[in-house]
């Protein structure tokens, strides 16, 4: 299935906006994603393996936090996952 | 959709000049005389007059919003003008609130501009926000995002939110009774280390225009009470793909601010909440506010060296190894001829510097913040003599080689 990668994380997917990953549940898709792109892992998961709280994951139009089975929700090839990280920019600073 | 304007107060009359000016609104039934009067009665606070705040405030002024408040403590810099269209070449160096006022008054002299030339803090936010009907958050840091969100929820004010990064934008309306707030979406901020650095975080100049105008649209809809505001929806804008998507947002029943059992019932210390050193100390935040690390001899165990001192060492042919830790695209703009290892790759590439373990290393970036991080990483990796170039390549251009461009 396709996962939409937001701009701040594309540095870790070789610039790709959409990556295609196999899996039967949201969590197995994410597992596979971090195998394909290991540098993504610390940005998405805590060292304990929990999805970071400032990363929102949508299965199609739904926030997985509000799906009954959360990360264990079944997913098939026609579904789309979207990762939405926090961004704060409004102007941009000049470091 | 209820309007953000209290209907009980008598709406202000429009003069004949105003009727002529706003005629394209007045002949729209959804706005009409009453709508235009609501706009005239409305008070909107723009938090930030940067990339988002600039088009936002301009369109609000053009539309006839009666009172526009501006919060900003910054001054106009030439590098702002690539996107902050409320400022202009003639106002470089002026306070942003003064510069913005000139442009707004020029566009629409009847608009009342209230200038808050200050940084929004927990101590002043409620006092500043309380007199406005709609808050439009166009700030650039997580501390202020959470501060504005919490203040809006506590005061029950709608927050027309917008945010941008490189080619991507987000917009929503937070802080209404019926909808979620920013914390429902993001209960916690990302730790500072995981946020892409500013240098990696440039922005396409027109993108804040696009998103700021969406914030202005939502603000106007809230004032008029028309249409479907982005309450409970997050708009995602991708300028490269030119795609717009909206995702459903839910009110989090466990939200610490807007949930039924809130644990945040007053404004908190947002620097601490965001894991950022308070500005009273010499730390990353102070750098983020554009003041390079001050001339302290040692910061967190890293000696700080001035550009003059580095120049002296180089001229004396001392054995000093200069390392640039900016990004390759910055290196192309200007460099000192030093080898380049971007700060994000330092920890992985220390092997390349293996013969420099005990050499004197001077690390530099653009203005001294990233190089401080890089110096700490090198020290951690066992390098024994690492110092940080105060003020970075900008200071070098200022004090040593004025022929270099500054960016
Ligand atoms: Zn909330």
């Amino acid at each position: 299935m396709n996962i939409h990668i937001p701009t701040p994380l594309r540095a870790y997917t070789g610039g790709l906006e959409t990556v295609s990953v196999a899996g039967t549940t949201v969590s197995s898709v994410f597992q596979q994603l971090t195998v394909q792109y290991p540098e993504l892992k610390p940005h998405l998961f805590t060292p304990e393996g929990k999805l970071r709280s400032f990363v929102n994951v949508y299965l199609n139009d739904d926030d997985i936090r509000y799906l009954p089975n959360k990360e264990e929700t079944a997913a098939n090839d026609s579904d789309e996952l979207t990762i939405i990280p926090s961004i704060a920019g409004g102007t941009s600073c000049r470091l | 959709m209820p309007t953000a304007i209290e209907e009980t107060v008598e709406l202000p009359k429009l003069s004949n000049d105003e009727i002529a000016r706003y005629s394209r609104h007045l002949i729209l039934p959804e706005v009409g005389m009453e709508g235009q009067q609501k706009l005239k009665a409305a008070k909107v606070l723009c938090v930030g007059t940067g990339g988002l705040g600039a088009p936002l405030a301009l369109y609000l002024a053009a539309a006839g919003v009666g009172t526009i408040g501006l919060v900003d403590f910054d001054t106009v810099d030439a590098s702002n003008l690539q996107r902050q269209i409320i400022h202009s070449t003639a106002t470089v160096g002026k306070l942003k609130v003064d510069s913005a006022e000139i442009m707004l008054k020029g566009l629409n002299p009847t608009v009342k501009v209230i200038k808050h030339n200050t940084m929004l803090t927990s101590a002043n936010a409620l006092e500043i926000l309380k007199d406005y009907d709609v808050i439009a958050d166009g700030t650039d840091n997580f501390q202020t995002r959470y501060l504005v969100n919490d203040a809006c929820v506590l005061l029950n004010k709608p927050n027309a939110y917008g945010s941008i990064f490189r080619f991507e934008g987000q917009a929503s309306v937070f802080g209404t009774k019926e909808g979620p707030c920013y914390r429902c979406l993001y209960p916690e901020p990302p730790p500072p280390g995981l946020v892409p650095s500013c240098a990696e975080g440039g922005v396409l100049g027109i993108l804040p225009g696009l998103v700021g105008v969406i914030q202005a649209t939502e603000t106007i809809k809230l004032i008029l009470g028309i249409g479907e505001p982005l309450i409970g929806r997050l708009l995602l804008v991708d300028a490269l793909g030119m795609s717009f998507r909206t995702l459903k947002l839910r009110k989090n029943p466990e939200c610490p601010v807007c949930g039924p059992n809130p644990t945040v019932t007053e404004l908190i210390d947002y620097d601490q909440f965001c894991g950022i050193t308070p500005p009273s100390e010499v730390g990353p935040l102070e750098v983020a506010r554009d003041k390079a690390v001050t001339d302290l001899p040692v910061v967190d165990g890293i000696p700080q060296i001035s550009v003059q001192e580095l120049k002296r060492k180089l001229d004396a042919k001392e054995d000093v190894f200069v390392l640039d830790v900016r990004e390759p695209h910055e290196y192309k703009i200007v460099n000192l001829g030093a080898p380049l290892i971007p700060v994000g790759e330092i920890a992985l590439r220390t092997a390349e510097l293996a013969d420099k373990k005990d050499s004197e290393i001077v690390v530099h970036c653009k203005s001294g913040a990233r190089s401080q991080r890089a110096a700490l990483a090198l020290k951690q990796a066992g390098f024994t003599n690492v110092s940080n170039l105060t003020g970075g390549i900008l200071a070098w251009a200022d004090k040593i080689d004025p022929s270099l461009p500054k960016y």
Side-chain angles (χ1 to χ4, degrees):
Chain A
M1 68 188 299
N2 284 336
I3 307 181
H4 291 286
I5 307 293
T7 320
L9 296 181
R10 284 178 209 163
Y12 313 106
T13 60
L16 291 177
E17 193 275 332
T18 308
V19 297
S20 191
V21 171
T24 52
T25 62
V26 172
S27 71
S28 68
V29 168
F30 265 86
Q31 175 62 32
Q32 189 57 37
L33 176 71
T34 55
V35 170
Q36 266 177 0
Y37 301 102
E39 286 183 349
L40 271 180
K41 200 165 184 180
H43 297 272
L44 297 176
F45 294 96
T46 63
E48 296 77 45
K50 270 194 66 197
L51 201 59
R52 292 188 179 274
S53 63
F54 55 85
V55 175
N56 287 286
V57 177
Y58 275 73
L59 178 63
N60 302 319
D61 288 342
D62 287 301
D63 187 336
I64 61 164
R65 278 182 295 187
Y66 298 107
L67 293 173
N69 297 325
K70 303 192 176 190
E71 294 98 87
E72 297 314 315
T73 304
N76 61 50
D77 281 356
S78 61
D79 288 327
E80 280 189 338
L81 277 176
T82 307
I83 300 172
I84 305 172
S86 324
I87 54 175
T91 61
S92 82
C93 55
R94 287 164 277 150
L95 269 187
Chain B
M1 178 60 215
T3 163
I5 300 296
E6 300 222 10
E7 311 250 15
T8 47
V9 292
E10 204 182 319
L11 290 171
K13 295 245 176 325
L14 298 185
S15 68
N16 286 353
D17 283 346
E18 286 172 318
I19 288 172
R21 173 182 278 264
Y22 303 118
S23 67
R24 294 300 183 281
H25 266 167
L26 301 177
I27 58 179
L28 262 184
E30 289 79 2
V31 183
M33 272 303 270
E34 198 192 328
Q36 195 61 48
Q37 289 172 286
K38 282 182 189 168
L39 290 172
K40 186 174 180 179
K43 301 189 187 79
V44 178
L45 182 68
C46 301
V47 185
T49 62
L52 294 168
L56 167 67
L58 278 172
Y59 267 106
L60 295 179
V65 167
T67 305
I68 297 176
L70 306 169
V71 186
D72 214 312
F73 62 92
D74 210 353
T75 51
V76 181
D77 183 271
S79 70
N80 299 151
L81 301 176
Q82 164 255 22
R83 62 199 176 284
Q84 301 179 14
I85 58 172
I86 201 165
H87 308 301
S88 63
T89 309
T91 61
V92 168
K94 279 190 195 289
L95 286 174
K96 282 192 170 176
V97 290
D98 290 338
S99 164
E101 182 186 38
I102 293 169
M103 192 74 92
L104 294 177
K105 286 280 194 186
L107 175 59
N108 191 344
T110 60
V111 62
K112 186 173 164 201
V113 177
I114 300 178
K115 298 180 284 183
H116 305 277
N117 178 37
T118 180
M119 181 185 293
L120 204 63
T121 66
S122 301
N124 64 21
L126 294 176
E127 187 58 32
I128 291 176
L129 266 61
K130 73 174 173 33
D131 294 325
Y132 293 92
D133 305 305
V134 180
I135 314 300
D137 176 10
T139 46
D140 61 355
N141 62 80
F142 288 106
Q143 304 93 287
T144 316
R145 294 279 180 202
Y146 283 94
L147 168 62
V148 171
N149 178 71
D150 293 359
C152 284
V153 173
L154 294 174
L155 293 167
N156 192 24
K157 310 263 183 202
N159 171 11
Y161 159 88
S163 176
I164 48 169
F165 180 78
R166 286 188 170 188
F167 300 100
E168 194 160 345
Q170 300 180 349
S172 190
V173 173
F174 293 123
T176 63
K177 265 211 186 70
E178 59 270 39
C181 78
Y182 184 68
R183 284 203 199 224
C184 293
L185 178 62
Y186 300 119
E188 287 168 30
L194 281 181
V195 186
S197 78
C198 293
E200 299 163 74
V203 68
L204 186 68
I206 45 164
L207 177 65
L210 199 54
V211 175
V213 169
I214 290 167
Q215 289 177 276
T217 311
E218 293 304 300
T219 302
I220 299 283
K221 281 158 62 185
L222 289 165
I223 294 166
L224 297 176
I226 61 171
E228 296 294 330
L230 283 170
I231 295 170
R233 290 185 296 152
L234 180 70
L235 177 70
L236 299 179
V237 178
D238 171 4
L240 284 187
M242 200 46 90
S243 65
F244 291 68
R245 283 181 73 189
T246 52
L247 297 172
K248 264 179 284 179
L249 298 182
R250 305 219 193 177
K251 216 173 158 81
N252 179 356
E254 280 152 36
C255 177
V257 199
C258 79
N261 302 302
T263 51
V264 176
T265 53
E266 55 184 38
L267 299 178
I268 59 169
D269 180 337
Y270 293 88
D271 288 331
Q272 192 187 30
F273 178 62
C274 294
I276 286 162
T277 321
S280 55
E281 295 171 31
V282 176
L285 187 64
E286 230 169 287
V287 180
R289 286 183 190 144
D290 229 22
K291 299 179 197 78
V293 172
T294 52
D295 283 332
L296 287 186
V298 177
V299 176
D300 292 337
I302 302 292
Q304 308 289 309
I305 172 174
S306 68
V307 287
Q308 292 89 343
E309 178 62 11
L310 177 62
K311 173 81 162 71
R312 191 195 59 73
K313 281 174 185 283
L314 293 172
D315 287 348
K317 303 266 187 285
E318 284 184 34
D319 188 17
V320 45
F321 175 71
V322 182
L323 178 68
D324 188 336
V325 296
R326 297 171 302 150
E327 302 298 315
H329 62 270
E330 298 177 83
Y331 198 87
K332 281 186 195 154
I333 304 169
V334 57
N335 66 70
L336 301 177
L340 177 73
I341 302 183
V343 62
E345 298 170 20
I346 287 280
L348 299 169
R349 294 175 57 182
T350 51
E352 295 170 35
L353 306 171
D355 62 325
K356 302 283 189 292
K357 278 267 170 184
D358 297 306
S359 311
E360 178 172 14
I361 302 179
V362 175
V363 190
H364 89 80
C365 63
K366 184 179 175 189
S367 64
R370 279 175 285 163
S371 49
Q372 172 72 9
R373 282 198 341 253
L376 285 166
L378 286 172
K379 195 179 170 208
Q380 189 97 36
F383 290 80
T384 56
N385 188 0
V386 188
S387 48
N388 178 31
L389 185 67
T390 302
I393 198 167
L394 291 182
W396 188 274
D398 271 336
K399 303 199 175 99
I400 307 294
D401 184 358
S403 75
L404 296 182
K406 294 193 286 176
Y407 65 102

